[in-house]
Amino acid sequence: MNEPIKDKIYLNLVPNLNKKPGDNQPVLVAPNSPKAPEGKNWKMNVNINGEWYDYCAFDGTDIDGNPTGGYTVILTKKEAQATTGANKQPGFKAGGFQKKSFANNKSFGNRQY
């Protein structure tokens, strides 16, 4: 994490094809990631000082909600679990999931109800 602080951060935005009049979708979104697996709709994000952020832009408005003709860009910090392991469940390793067979498990099937 000893990366030098960046002087400039570039954000590439593309039109949101899912935007419909009157909805609360952003007007501009990050482009699809070229590293996304087939069939996945992963978006690009930006690393700022070791933290990852998603970004998009909405139509700009003044304090009264009147359009300004500009855009408001929003950066949203990605959840820690999303970048470091998602569900925190251990993965299955090759060769099976249980180390002992049921026959060697003395408590298996011996419950007294």
Side-chain angles (χ1 to χ4, degrees):
M1 297 280 168
N2 293 334
E3 297 177 21
I5 296 177
K6 299 173 184 171
D7 291 332
K8 294 180 183 178
I9 298 172
Y10 293 90
L11 302 175
N12 184 15
L13 293 163
V14 297
N16 182 0
L17 301 178
N18 296 323
K19 174 74 176 150
K20 295 183 178 92
D23 67 8
N24 64 350
Q25 294 267 334
V27 177
L28 302 169
V29 294
N32 290 338
S33 172
K35 296 180 181 179
E38 185 75 29
K40 296 289 185 178
N41 189 24
W42 291 356
K43 298 290 184 185
M44 298 288 294
N45 45 45
V46 63
N47 186 326
I48 302 172
N49 297 330
E51 301 286 344
W52 287 97
Y53 291 83
D54 292 326
Y55 56 92
C56 64
F58 290 87
D59 283 325
T61 57
D62 62 17
I63 197 152
D64 295 322
N66 300 316
T68 61
Y71 298 103
T72 301
V73 176
I74 298 174
L75 293 124
T76 305
K77 188 173 178 180
K78 292 183 74 70
E79 297 287 326
Q81 72 179 39
T83 58
T84 61
N87 60 12
K88 301 201 186 277
Q89 292 181 347
F92 296 111
K93 56 184 176 180
F97 135 141
Q98 184 170 357
K99 293 181 182 178
K100 296 180 180 179
S101 69
F102 290 121
N104 292 338
N105 190 344
K106 294 184 184 356
S107 65
F108 181 77
N110 293 330
R111 287 193 170 164
Q112 301 296 321
Y113 292 101

